[in-house]
Amino acid sequence: MKLHSYVQGQWQFGGGESTTLRSAVTGESVAEIARGGLDYAGMLAYARDTGGPNLRARTFHQRAIMLKELAKHLSQHKDEFYALSTETGATRTDSMVDIDGGIGTLFAYSGKGRRELPNGHAVIDGDMEPLSRGGSFIGQHVWVPLEGVAVHINAFNFPCWGMLEKLAANLLAGMPAIIKPASQTAYLTELMFRRMIESELLPAGAVQLICGGVGDLLDHVTGQDVVTFTGSAETGRKLRCHPAIVNNATRFSMEADSLNCSILGPDAVPGTPEFDLYIKEVVREMTVKAGQKCTAIRRLMVPESLVAPVIDALSKRIEEKVVLGHPGDEGVTLGALSSLDQRQEVRDRVRDLLDTAELVYGNPDECDPRGADGDAGAFMSPLILHCASPVAGSPVHDVEAFGPVSTVMPYKSAADAANLARLGQGSLVGSVFTADPEFAREVVMGSASHHGRLLVVDRTCAKESTGHGSPMPTLVHGGPGRAGGGEELGGVRGVFHYMQRTALQGSPDMLSAITGRWMPGASRREGEHPFRKDFDSLRIGDTVKAGPRAITIEDIEHFAEFTGDTFYAHMDEEAAKANPFFDGRVAHGYYIVSLAAGLFVAPEPGPVLANYGVDNLRFMTPAYPGDELSVTLTCKEKNLREGAGYGEVRWDTVVTNQDNESVAQYDVLTMVATAA
């Protein structure tokens, strides 16, 4: 099987020398991959000139729906993905992490996009900033898509998830991508990519694929492009320093190998749930994907008195629960490394670690895999090392054996554990297993600066915990220092990596017209009650003003009796006067909101379907008996729900008293029907 690249809308086998890719399990040929021979500059130009405009023509919600449909389509082909994934050395559980995890990320970003982003082409960032005394000059930040290309250079360990978790964010942002998978497992990426293209769900130019080398691709990147890299820190540093990336200030995000730690609390002694959970999690992290995860646990930090019990418990669990063998066989829990070269790399790094550590379980050079040839396949036994003196400068804080390898090391105190965690020079993730909140707090606050994510596990959350090694679509993935200094995922935070934040300045009317959101100080239009208008007829700035209505002591007492809210400030004149914020009994805040609704609402059946919330409610000035309140309701923002027959409308609401002082300000959220 020859692996083809997808270049400017066409499948193409590259030129130059080719390499045979072999099964991690049997050593037999799986595919042939070319080294180069593609028009890399043309790929970038095609993405910018065709893919970008096609994606940006769609709204965020339309792109989110596209992701959902793509995820549904890929789900229909999971069986063939699983079958081929076996050749990478992955067990069925390993493949689920890679394949289902990637597809699940598409689903997650589809939901996030529709819930948290507008159905438009730009995202308003924060509130309006007043820039003048009279209010005629204001500022507003907005996010817009970059007009370049996302170049994703991915690692070998997650050929599916590594592609999809990055694509989800850049496609939702409206930016096309060029995917460059690591050659060792590119055959699985290419298969999934083919199914993506066959779906015809993505517009022309939205995605392209490079199977083989990148050639002169990076020579042609610009300041509008984004380059992401997942892999070794050494390779990442070389890419980061590429002249075109440096000279054009091209955004570069790196996720590199990481010496992640897991810390066992001193309270978690044998016999406690936390001790058992720790042992179970460590063994799982050593064996899932054969330890070939950037988030796998490499350093095990345990109290000095628990070193021997931990080593014994880990050894026992491996003996009882871990079955090394052909990943396609029933009952096998530990498959092969991705290649024979990778196995040799792990062996070499283990020898480096043994300069200051001792091997206490396993043999890096011998194993007996079930149903497979231990010499032809890239199999390796789980290895546990022990470093009695994990001082600064020790290889355990600098060398990563990217396989089923972990090192146990002692600590003396919470501060010592946090210091050992920091010696990893920056990690993607760390975890703490303890039921002691004080210990957890000291370790977390002492090491968070060096981690992208920290997991704290005790018996109360363990059942539902997603685990040490699982990046979540809604949480950031990345880390400082050695971990690369990059960041991805994190819900919509990940989308903004492919967008530009711009500060706009101008008049309220001008910025309202540009952003599609009514700004304070912009013109209002009164006339037909806006609740009588359907979503399509309603315009930003449509307004209704109503009132005044006087507040009486009878209103306050009735509201208190009806709701049960008899707080003293509403019922006791003397006590209310003693409160530094009030001059006497005041109206309930929620009575004011209810009164305002009674003033602005149009009660007859019409296009307004439901009120589904209130945002940013603030009470500005107390309302006393005898005050007269008025309300101004203005159509602030509209978002169409694709295919639902209605849209969301946000209404700016201001309640004022007889002196024109603001009593309450908030946004009312409604669902409004579209035109029939």
Side-chain angles (χ1 to χ4, degrees):
M1 174 176 65
K2 289 187 175 181
L3 300 188
H4 289 70
S5 298
Y6 191 67
V7 179
Q8 301 180 54
Q10 302 292 326
W11 288 102
Q12 177 181 339
F13 186 73
E17 295 183 7
S18 61
T19 300
T20 298
L21 304 180
R22 299 190 178 278
S23 168
V25 181
T26 65
E28 296 175 356
S29 173
V30 176
E32 183 181 345
I33 190 170
R35 290 191 176 181
L38 305 177
D39 180 5
Y40 300 101
M43 293 180 73
L44 289 166
Y46 180 69
R48 296 185 190 114
D49 298 341
T50 302
N54 284 340
L55 284 170
R56 294 192 297 273
R58 304 185 182 193
T59 66
F60 288 105
H61 287 202
Q62 289 167 344
R63 295 194 289 264
I65 291 172
M66 176 185 73
L67 293 181
K68 180 180 180 180
E69 294 304 312
L70 182 60
K72 289 164 62 177
H73 175 79
L74 292 177
S75 296
Q76 298 172 5
H77 296 275
K78 286 197 295 185
D79 287 347
E80 64 174 329
F81 300 151
Y82 270 79
L84 189 57
S85 180
T86 301
E87 301 297 343
T88 72
T91 66
R92 187 161 186 86
T93 298
D94 298 337
S95 297
M96 181 178 66
V97 174
D98 186 28
I99 296 166
D100 293 77
I103 294 172
T105 302
L106 292 180
F107 278 123
Y109 267 85
S110 173
K112 281 282 187 181
R114 285 174 290 162
R115 289 192 304 271
E116 300 180 24
L117 296 175
N119 193 10
H121 299 89
V123 179
I124 297 174
D125 180 28
D127 295 329
M128 175 273 293
E129 298 288 347
L131 300 177
S132 64
R133 181 174 299 177
S136 65
F137 187 61
I138 63 172
Q140 178 66 62
H141 290 95
V142 297
W143 290 99
V144 296
L146 289 168
E147 296 189 358
V149 189
V151 177
H152 299 313
I153 304 173
N154 295 333
F156 67 84
N157 52 339
F158 287 101
C160 297
W161 179 84
M163 170 176 65
L164 296 181
E165 60 99 4
K166 294 181 176 68
L167 274 181
N170 71 255
L171 290 177
L172 185 54
M175 193 177 199
I178 296 174
I179 307 296
K180 194 306 185 181
S183 293
Q184 289 147 281
T185 54
Y187 47 87
L188 182 53
T189 308
E190 195 240 37
L191 175 62
M192 178 172 278
F193 193 93
R194 280 187 180 274
R195 299 300 172 257
M196 290 167 52
I197 297 303
E198 290 169 2
S199 73
E200 299 184 347
L201 291 167
L202 302 175
V207 292
Q208 297 178 82
L209 176 71
I210 296 175
C211 286
V214 296
D216 64 352
L217 179 73
L218 297 183
D219 293 346
H220 307 287
V221 297
T222 72
Q224 285 290 300
D225 300 323
V226 177
V227 177
T228 73
F229 170 76
T230 302
S232 73
E234 181 181 0
T235 302
R237 284 190 292 268
K238 293 178 181 178
L239 294 176
R240 191 196 296 274
C241 295
H242 190 285
I245 291 175
V246 173
N247 295 336
N248 295 309
T250 303
R251 297 186 189 185
F252 182 86
S253 178
M254 179 168 73
E255 180 207 319
D257 44 15
S258 172
L259 292 168
N260 310 297
C261 69
S262 189
I263 301 171
L264 182 67
D267 60 299
V269 297
T272 63
E274 285 72 27
F275 183 89
D276 293 340
L277 291 166
Y278 184 77
I279 298 303
K280 181 179 179 181
E281 187 70 6
V282 169
V283 173
R284 180 171 71 168
E285 285 299 310
M286 289 179 68
T287 54
V288 170
K289 294 290 289 187
Q292 298 172 115
K293 296 198 304 178
C294 56
T295 54
I297 300 171
R298 305 301 179 194
R299 299 178 298 152
L300 309 177
M301 297 161 188
V302 304
E304 287 181 306
S305 62
L306 296 181
V307 168
V310 165
I311 292 174
D312 290 343
L314 289 173
S315 302
K316 181 179 179 182
R317 185 168 182 87
I318 292 172
E319 289 291 334
E320 293 177 350
K321 299 294 185 179
V322 176
V323 178
L324 175 68
H326 193 297
D329 286 2
E330 189 74 23
V332 168
T333 60
L334 174 59
L337 297 168
S338 65
S339 68
L340 293 175
D341 287 343
Q342 182 61 28
R343 183 174 67 179
Q344 186 58 49
E345 166 69 17
V346 175
R347 287 172 173 169
D348 291 343
R349 299 293 75 77
V350 167
R351 292 188 181 95
D352 293 338
L353 290 170
L354 291 176
D355 286 345
T356 57
E358 60 175 330
L359 183 65
V360 294
Y361 182 87
N363 186 330
D365 299 312
E366 294 182 8
C367 64
D368 184 19
R370 177 196 292 181
D373 185 332
D375 294 324
F379 296 95
M380 175 174 278
S381 160
L383 305 177
I384 302 173
L385 282 66
H386 171 225
C387 178
S389 300
V391 297
S394 171
V396 295
H397 304 304
D398 190 55
V399 175
E400 180 179 30
F402 201 69
V405 184
S406 291
T407 302
V408 179
M409 59 194 71
Y411 70 83
K412 295 180 174 63
S413 64
D416 187 32
N419 180 61
L420 289 175
R422 294 194 301 269
L423 289 179
Q425 307 161 63
S427 299
L428 295 172
V429 58
S431 56
V432 185
F433 285 71
T434 181
D436 182 348
E438 290 302 316
F439 176 81
R441 185 183 186 281
E442 186 172 352
V443 170
V444 166
M445 299 308 294
S447 61
S449 62
H450 286 58
H451 290 81
R453 177 169 60 90
L454 285 171
L455 167 71
V456 182
V457 178
D458 62 20
R459 67 197 71 181
T460 65
C461 71
K463 186 175 181 179
E464 295 187 310
S465 169
T466 53
H468 170 102
S470 300
M472 302 304 293
T474 53
L475 300 179
V476 294
H477 179 52
R482 180 192 175 113
E487 183 181 289
E488 56 196 34
L489 296 176
V492 295
R493 297 173 186 86
V495 177
F496 295 141
H497 295 315
Y498 304 97
M499 303 182 73
Q500 174 63 41
R501 180 162 48 192
T502 302
L504 305 180
Q505 295 172 278
S507 70
D509 280 330
M510 186 62 74
L511 295 196
S512 294
I514 292 171
T515 63
R517 175 188 287 183
W518 182 86
M519 303 282 174
S523 300
R524 292 184 169 97
R525 286 181 299 277
E526 295 184 72
E528 181 184 4
H529 195 297
F531 277 23
R532 305 257 53 85
K533 297 182 178 181
D534 60 48
F535 183 89
D536 304 288
S537 302
L538 193 61
R539 293 188 295 167
I540 302 299
D542 283 353
T543 299
V544 60
K545 296 181 179 180
R549 173 172 169 173
I551 294 177
T552 67
I553 196 70
E554 291 78 14
D555 290 335
I556 296 173
E557 292 180 346
H558 173 72
F559 191 85
E561 181 181 357
F562 181 72
T563 63
D565 182 358
T566 56
F567 185 65
Y568 75 87
H570 311 307
M571 306 304 291
D572 187 327
E573 183 72 18
E574 293 304 316
K577 283 183 177 180
N579 187 310
F581 293 104
F582 305 130
D583 296 329
R585 294 173 69 179
V586 296
H588 302 71
Y590 297 112
Y591 169 66
I592 294 169
V593 174
S594 299
L595 179 151
L599 290 174
F600 67 64
V601 76
E604 304 83 10
V608 177
L609 304 174
N611 174 343
Y612 72 96
V614 171
D615 278 354
N616 308 315
L617 174 60
R618 295 292 184 274
F619 298 113
M620 322 294 287
T621 304
Y624 300 98
D627 282 351
E628 295 185 340
L629 302 186
S630 300
V631 62
T632 301
L633 184 83
T634 303
C635 178
K636 183 175 183 177
E637 193 171 8
K638 299 167 52 181
N639 270 301
L640 179 67
R641 287 279 188 96
E642 292 287 336
Y646 61 86
E648 302 164 2
V649 179
R650 180 179 292 268
W651 305 85
D652 181 84
T653 311
V654 181
V655 180
T656 55
N657 62 19
Q658 65 278 2
D659 298 321
N660 204 34
E661 297 173 315
S662 292
V663 174
Q665 294 182 356
Y666 50 98
D667 289 349
V668 173
L669 311 176
T670 63
M671 299 292 192
V672 179
T674 56

